[in-house]
């Protein structure tokens, strides 16, 4: 009896293979493979399998869950690197725990597949056009319930600059939507190919496409009535939206409302990539690496000032940026470190921006902060990290005191502080914060001309995380129409333009320096900066309305 129950919820083996094929294709679209074009048809096998299993929302859920578990495991396996390398976890145990985590996150693609099955059962194959809306809804749901949306499909396009332009209007989830559109149209047309061939006019073909997909039975008359208005609404809404998106895309008009005027540089940045190791930092080595930060900075300053074509010109402000690293500066609580940094700033007439653990007197804890010391040798600005890594830097409220934080128990910041860079202003993202469009858009709303990311991915090794994390910063630049200056401990340090181009990247796990200039923006704000995740909310509303119709009607109508 139990075996038969298990079999009843298991999809056909051919459909399981199709779900696995989709997962493998989508894995190939992300770093380290970066065949970004695979994302545009990766979900075709999964959706085809769901259509075959549409009679059972449970079996469809299982298909989506298998797909999601394999996909997230295949793109996020690097999370096992730190516990294996630094905590001595047995390799098998680390990967087993990783499988458990990805199985939980795989629930969201499972929800996607089950919702599509319900819609297909109710409306017929035309409901496949709802797939982009439903996918965005489940990615948005994942974000709200887990606190992150790592490797949403849209992020696969981070290094395809032409595909990025719409992010200035709707962020990465708008890109996710656009990526899913072609495969859904392919599936709908494949189901209705015979009807399209049989009809002579486009109008007749369109009518057949709609009416053949979800007939409404009139029980009193015993005959089929006209198609339901919801079906027409769905088809027309999708076609109108996609026409608008792709017309703008093909004509290259996405960015024309955004300023591209080059301003006179107001400050220069010296970015330090020190390649500090993640383990074995004795006090002697810590002091040596701190001195090495200064040597790298002074060497870069000297070489640039000696160059007649130097980007650094007096009276420009010069800012030296030290990245987040395992060195754990404590500017306020360590008088010796404070004196060291103050002296360096005053001696070289530069500002220094660095990561530091700063005291939260009210709660008896520390903030994970970015601190700037000015050329006069005193602190002039501080930002306290708002988006802490769950279970890494802080444990969610219900579990505090029960589950320990892996790195430290920091206090949450609350202020969107900006840093002066000459006449320009900068907002700072610390590591994981580059994943949150809300932070960078709030900075720009408050007047930021540039975004600076300070990060350290060294604990995760020479793995795909380096470029996956870089992909997040690319989207923050495009969304806000502001350059992002990414300063890292082990790489990838890079300058990212407002259009998402990655310039001057450093090699990973090598010490290096970069010098960039900063210009004051014209203050323009993108649609995304003004309205945030409006598109994700729109897709969520469409999905819930369609589900509500299915629940209200109660009866399924098949093609």
């Amino acid at each position: 009896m139990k075996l038969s129950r298990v079999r009843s919820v298991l999809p056909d083996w051919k459909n399981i293979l199709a779900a696995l094929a989709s997962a493998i294709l989508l894995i190939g679209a992300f770093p380290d493979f970066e065949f970004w074009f695979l994302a545009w048809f990766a979900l075709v096998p999964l959706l085809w399998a769901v259509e075959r299993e549409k009679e059972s929302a449970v079996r469809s859920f299982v298909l989506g869950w298998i797909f999601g578990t394999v996909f997230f495991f295949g793109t996020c396996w690097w999370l096992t690197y730190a516990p294996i390398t630094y905590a001595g976890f047995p390799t098998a145990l680390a990967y087993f725990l990783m499988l458990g985590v990805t199985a939980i996150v795989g629930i969201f693609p499972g929800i996607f597949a089950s919702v599509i099955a319900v819609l297909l059962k109710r409306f017929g194959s035309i409901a496949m056009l709802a797939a982009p809306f439903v996918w965005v809804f489940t990615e948005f749901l994942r974000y709200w319930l887990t606190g992150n949306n790592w490797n949403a499909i849209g992020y696969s396009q981070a290094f395809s600059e032409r595909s990025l332009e719409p992010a200035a209007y709707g962020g990465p989830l708008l890109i996710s939507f656009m990526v899913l559109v072609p495969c859904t149209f392919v599936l709908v047309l494949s189901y209705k190919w015979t009807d399209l061939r049989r009809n002579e006019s486009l109008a007749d073909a369109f009518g057949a496409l709609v009416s053949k997909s979800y007939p409404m039975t009139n029980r009193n008359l015993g005959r089929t009535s006209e198609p339901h208005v919801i079906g027409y609404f769905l088809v027309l809404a999708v076609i109108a939206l996609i026409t608008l998106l792709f017309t703008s895309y093909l004509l290259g008009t996405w960015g024309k409302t955004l300023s591209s005027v080059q301003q006179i540089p107001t400050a220069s940045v010296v970015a330090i990539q020190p390649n500090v190791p993640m383990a074995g930092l004795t006090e002697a080595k810590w002091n040596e690496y701190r001195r090495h930060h200064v040597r790298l900075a002074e060497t870069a300053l000297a070489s640039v000032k000696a160059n007649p074509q130097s980007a650094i010109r007096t009276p420009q402000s010069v800012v030296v940026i030290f990245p987040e690293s395992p060195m754990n500066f404590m500017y306020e609580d360590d008088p010796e470190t404070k004196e060291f940094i103050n002296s360096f700033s005053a001696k070289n007439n530069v500002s220094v921006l660095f990561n530091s653990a700063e005291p939260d007197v009210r709660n008896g804890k520390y903030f994970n902060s970015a601190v700037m010391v000015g050329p006069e040798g005193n602190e002039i600005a501080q930002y306290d990290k708002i988006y802490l890594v769950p279970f890494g830097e802080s444990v969610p409220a219900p579990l505090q005191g029960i589950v320990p934080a892996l790195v430290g128990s920091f206090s949450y910041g609350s202020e969107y502080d900006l840093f002066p860079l000459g006449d320009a202003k900068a907002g700072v993202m610390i590591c994981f914060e580059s994943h949150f469009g809300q932070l960078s858009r709030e900075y720009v709303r408050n007047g930021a001309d540039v975004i600076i990311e300070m990060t350290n991915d060294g604990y995760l090794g020479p793995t795909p995380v380096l470029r996956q994390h870089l992909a997040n910063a690319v989207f923050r630049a495009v969304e806000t129409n502001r350059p992002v200056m990414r300063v890292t401990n082990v790489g990838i340090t890079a300058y990212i333009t407002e259009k998402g181009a990655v310039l001057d990247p450093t090699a990973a796990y090598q010490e290096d320096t970069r010098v960039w200039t900063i210009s004051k923006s014209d203050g323009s704000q993108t649609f995304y900066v003004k309205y945030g995740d409006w598109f994700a909310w729109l897709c969520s509303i469409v999905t819930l309305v369609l589900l509500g119709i299915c629940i209200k009607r109660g009866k399924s109508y098949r093609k």
Side-chain angles (χ1 to χ4, degrees), residues 376-440:
E376 295 79 16
N378 59 283
E379 180 179 337
I380 58 175
Q382 176 178 324
Y383 162 72
D384 303 321
K385 188 174 182 180
I386 295 174
Y387 294 92
L388 300 176
V389 179
F391 301 102
E393 296 173 320
S394 181
V395 176
L399 299 176
Q400 286 181 1
I402 301 174
V403 179
L406 298 178
V407 177
S409 184
F410 292 97
S411 294
Y412 286 89
S414 58
E415 301 294 330
Y416 297 89
D417 303 275
L418 298 180
F419 292 77
L421 303 174
D423 293 332
K425 296 179 180 178
V428 173
M429 307 181 296
I430 302 175
C431 194
F432 179 63
E433 289 190 308
S434 65
H435 184 63
F436 298 93
Q438 300 99 307
L439 179 61
S440 53

Side-chain angles (χ1 to χ4, degrees), residues 312-328:
I312 297 180
R313 294 278 188 266
T314 304
Q316 274 187 28
S317 297
V318 179
V319 181
V320 175
I321 303 179
F322 298 155
E324 181 188 43
S325 83
M327 293 185 65
N328 299 323

Side-chain angles (χ1 to χ4, degrees), residues 139 142-151 390 432 435-436:
E139 285 193 334
R142 173 161 70 96
Y143 170 75
W144 280 105
L145 293 182
T146 68
N148 78 85
N149 210 8
W150 197 271
N151 283 355
F432 179 63
H435 184 63
F436 298 93

Side-chain angles (χ1 to χ4, degrees), residues 335-511:
E336 196 273 336
T337 293
K338 177 183 285 190
E339 175 60 27
F340 183 91
I341 294 178
N342 290 352
S343 298
F344 167 72
S345 299
K347 173 186 175 183
N348 293 280
N349 192 34
V350 297
S351 296
V352 180
L353 178 62
F354 58 98
N355 183 223
S356 179
E358 294 300 289
D360 175 11
V361 178
R362 177 179 298 180
N363 297 309
K365 299 166 68 174
Y366 284 87
F367 293 110
N368 185 354
S369 305
V371 175
M372 176 175 279
V373 172
E376 295 79 16
N378 59 283
E379 180 179 337
I380 58 175
Q382 176 178 324
Y383 162 72
D384 303 321
K385 188 174 182 180
I386 295 174
Y387 294 92
L388 300 176
V389 179
F391 301 102
E393 296 173 320
S394 181
V395 176
L399 299 176
Q400 286 181 1
I402 301 174
V403 179
L406 298 178
V407 177
S409 184
F410 292 97
S411 294
Y412 286 89
S414 58
E415 301 294 330
Y416 297 89
D417 303 275
L418 298 180
F419 292 77
L421 303 174
D423 293 332
K425 296 179 180 178
V428 173
M429 307 181 296
I430 302 175
C431 194
F432 179 63
E433 289 190 308
S434 65
H435 184 63
F436 298 93
Q438 300 99 307
L439 179 61
S440 53
R441 66 182 285 262
E442 192 64 32
Y443 282 144
V444 173
R445 287 163 63 92
N446 291 341
D449 303 292
V450 63
I451 307 296
I452 295 172
E453 180 188 359
M454 307 163 66
T455 190
N456 173 35
D457 293 330
Y459 288 107
L460 299 170
T463 65
V465 70
L466 297 179
R467 288 189 64 81
Q468 288 180 15
H469 199 178
L470 174 64
N472 286 265
V474 168
F475 269 85
R476 303 298 83 84
V478 178
E479 290 166 353
T480 60
N481 193 40
R482 297 293 188 273
V484 172
M485 296 184 175
R486 193 167 192 264
V487 186
T488 72
N489 176 36
V490 301
I492 302 168
T493 298
Y495 182 100
I496 305 169
T497 72
E498 299 91 328
K499 300 302 180 183
V502 179
L503 306 180
D504 215 15
T506 60
Y509 288 91
Q510 295 182 18
E511 67 176 45

